[in-house]
Amino acid sequence: EAGVAQSPRYKIIEKRQSVAFWCNPISGHATLYWYQQILGQGPKLLIQFQNNGVVDDSQLPKDRFSAERLKGVDSTLKIQPAKLEDSAVYLCASSLKPGPSSGQYFGPGTRLTVT
Amino acid sequence: QKEVEQNSGPLSVPEGAIASLNCTYSDRGSQSFFWYRQYSGKSPELIMSIYSNGDKEDGRFTAQLNKASQYVSLLIRDSQPSDSATYLCAVKSDYKLSFGAGTTVTVRA
């Protein structure tokens, strides 16, 4: 079974530029998550999708971050404009369902450096 | 108060010993508890899940849950150098998964 796919793996941009990340979840997984992991910290949930609807985006900085999941499969996360503090690893994860017993499986992540 | 707290470590154990990792959480209504392993430069990997009080064993790993004390732990028996990693405790409440900052474990040969 193929895992969660993400691209690009690395990205370096200057502050105020824009960037987009792509995620393809495990086949059949209805729930998709985007996390931000800053060095030395645990992952922080940015947004959770159930199929193509948003379940939780309470920690998404909506003035600069946006995400979509068209057709309930692939998802993109965009940052515009980027700030220095956005330097982090952006992790996509998926689970079969959103319930309490469903574990989440992570993709390899995109390491973003904002200079 | 952080939702999920872990000792940051590093925790250094000799090869073959037991590594004991602890985690406390603030939301008494939390329903599910997970341990993830994260190697340096890699993404988190799910290694254990536990939902009810008591112990759950899987190979060399044992997860322990005490909901009354809001405490979950992970024991790694017969520690191997390949167990050297950061271990993240994650707690699910209302479908939201919250992570601790992780405990770094180093197994010395």
Side-chain angles (χ1 to χ4, degrees), chain A residues 39-97:
Chain A
L39 188 65
Q41 299 181 17
K44 182 183 84 170
L45 179 69
L46 294 175
I47 189 167
Q48 176 181 342
F49 291 96
Q50 173 66 18
N51 296 311
N52 61 346
V54 175
V55 174
D56 183 355
D57 62 357
S58 58
Q59 297 192 90
L60 186 74
K62 298 180 185 62
D63 58 334
R64 299 184 300 107
F65 286 64
S66 64
E68 61 181 9
R69 190 184 185 198
L70 300 176
K71 300 181 181 178
V73 181
D74 294 8
S75 177
T76 56
L77 176 69
K78 297 179 181 177
I79 307 175
Q80 181 180 9
K83 293 184 175 181
L84 294 176
E85 59 261 37
D86 298 332
S87 294
V89 176
Y90 290 84
L91 295 163
C92 179
S94 70
S95 64
L96 191 59
K97 52 186 177 179

Side-chain angles (χ1 to χ4, degrees), chain A residues 9-10 33 35 37 40-45 48 55-56 58-59 91 95 97-109 111, chain B residues 3 6 8 31-34 36 38 40-46 49-51 86 88 92-102:
Chain A
R9 294 295 310 278
Y10 305 91
Y33 314 80
Y35 288 89
Q37 187 174 24
Q41 299 181 17
K44 182 183 84 170
L45 179 69
Q48 176 181 342
V55 174
D56 183 355
S58 58
Q59 297 192 90
L91 295 163
S95 64
K97 52 186 177 179
S101 62
S102 189
Q104 296 180 18
Y105 299 88
F106 285 84
R111 184 175 299 275
Chain B
E3 295 180 19
Q6 298 180 251
S8 61
Q31 303 145 313
S32 311
F33 308 86
F34 304 89
Y36 286 81
Q38 187 170 29
S40 181
K42 302 295 185 182
S43 59
E45 173 193 10
L46 180 63
S49 58
I50 188 167
Y51 311 110
T86 296
L88 299 165
K92 186 173 273 193
S93 305
D94 295 331
Y95 307 114
K96 177 183 175 182
L97 195 63
S98 297
F99 286 84

Side-chain angles (χ1 to χ4, degrees), chain B residues 10 34-35 65:
Chain B
F34 304 89
W35 284 98
L65 175 61

Side-chain angles (χ1 to χ4, degrees), chain B:
Chain B
Q1 182 187 12
K2 292 182 180 178
E3 295 180 19
V4 182
E5 297 210 42
Q6 298 180 251
N7 292 328
S8 61
L11 175 65
S12 180
V13 298
E15 185 173 356
I18 296 175
S20 178
L21 292 77
N22 304 319
C23 172
T24 57
Y25 59 94
S26 60
D27 184 351
R28 189 169 289 278
S30 298
Q31 303 145 313
S32 311
F33 308 86
F34 304 89
W35 284 98
Y36 286 81
R37 178 176 61 200
Q38 187 170 29
Y39 292 115
S40 181
K42 302 295 185 182
S43 59
E45 173 193 10
L46 180 63
I47 56 171
M48 288 288 286
S49 58
I50 188 167
Y51 311 110
S52 55
N53 282 330
D55 296 359
K56 180 181 178 182
E57 187 175 314
D58 184 358
R60 296 186 294 109
F61 298 101
T62 299
Q64 299 173 318
L65 175 61
N66 184 326
K67 289 186 178 181
S69 300
Q70 295 175 242
Y71 175 92
V72 60
S73 66
L74 180 70
L75 300 177
I76 307 173
R77 292 184 304 281
D78 187 24
S79 294
Q80 301 297 309
S82 59
D83 295 326
S84 296
T86 296
Y87 290 81
L88 299 165
C89 174
V91 176
K92 186 173 273 193
S93 305
D94 295 331
Y95 307 114
K96 177 183 175 182
L97 195 63
S98 297
F99 286 84
T103 297
T104 299
V105 174
T106 300
V107 180
R108 55 186 192 274

